[in-house]
């Protein structure tokens, strides 16, 4: 899994706008099988974005886990497949030698300190995290 883009936004696909005083931190993810020559079960894990002010920001609206995600889609499906269902993130299979994309988001406070934010998958042996990098803000 690789993060291609991170944007603070007030709009997310198919959902109502984030609650007042919050925004959605939306990530465009690139996912493919490792090794590439075999099918894999679509990754569905306990993902969450961690950042310095997360514990102070947590409340009924902000929990520290992803709040939503689109199905996995190929590049063609993302660009030209309006109405395409894509691969179900919970039960689907990603085909071998195919790159998939997914938009996932988490609600954060408008005042969140996102310095050094990371996307983490909670695992039994500790968190496995990917640094998010630069975060854009949509108007």
């Amino acid at each position: 899994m690789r993060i291609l883009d991170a944007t603070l936004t007030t709009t997310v696909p198919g959902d109502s706008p984030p609650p007042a005083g919050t925004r959605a931190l939306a990530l465009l993810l690139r996912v493919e099988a490792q090794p590439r020559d075999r099918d894999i079960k679509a990754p569905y894990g306990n993902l969450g974005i961690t950042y310095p002010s997360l514990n102070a920001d947590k409340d009924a609206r902000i929990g520290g886990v992803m709040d939503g995600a689109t199905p996995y889609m190929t590049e063609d499906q993302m660009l030209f497949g309006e109405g395409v269902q894509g691969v179900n993130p919970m039960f689907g299979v990603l085909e071998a030698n195919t790159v998939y994309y997914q938009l996932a988001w988490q609600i954060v406070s408008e005042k969140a300190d996102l310095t050094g934010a990371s996307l983490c998958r909670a695992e039994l042996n500790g968190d496995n995290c990917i640094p998010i990098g630069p975060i854009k803000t949509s108007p």
Side-chain angles (χ1 to χ4, degrees):
M1 184 177 301
R2 194 167 62 170
I3 300 168
L4 300 178
D5 184 70
T7 304
L8 273 172
T9 183
T10 57
T11 60
V12 290
D15 274 1
S16 56
T22 68
R23 297 187 104 178
L25 178 49
L27 304 178
L28 179 59
L29 305 174
R30 182 182 190 271
V31 179
E32 62 185 309
Q34 293 296 332
R36 290 183 45 87
D37 62 344
R38 68 171 72 162
D39 294 349
I40 62 168
K41 185 176 180 317
Y44 182 80
N46 187 12
L47 293 178
I49 298 171
T50 62
Y51 51 93
S53 66
L54 175 61
N55 288 334
D57 293 343
K58 284 184 180 178
D59 63 16
R61 307 163 301 168
I62 300 167
V65 295
M66 299 308 275
D67 291 293
T70 62
Y72 290 98
M73 291 185 258
T74 65
E75 184 174 6
D76 284 348
Q77 289 173 325
M78 288 207 59
L79 295 174
F80 310 111
E82 189 171 319
V84 171
Q85 289 186 328
V87 176
N88 183 311
M90 193 175 285
F91 304 109
V93 173
L94 303 184
E95 294 179 16
N97 301 311
T98 305
V99 174
Y100 290 87
Y101 299 89
Q102 181 184 48
L103 184 64
W105 57 91
Q106 180 173 314
I107 303 300
V108 298
S109 168
E110 281 185 335
K111 298 176 183 172
D113 175 6
L114 299 172
T115 306
S118 295
L119 175 64
C120 298
R121 179 181 309 225
E123 296 180 345
L124 294 176
N125 60 352
D127 288 342
N128 181 10
C129 298
I130 303 168
I132 292 175
I135 299 171
K136 301 182 296 189
T137 302
S138 70

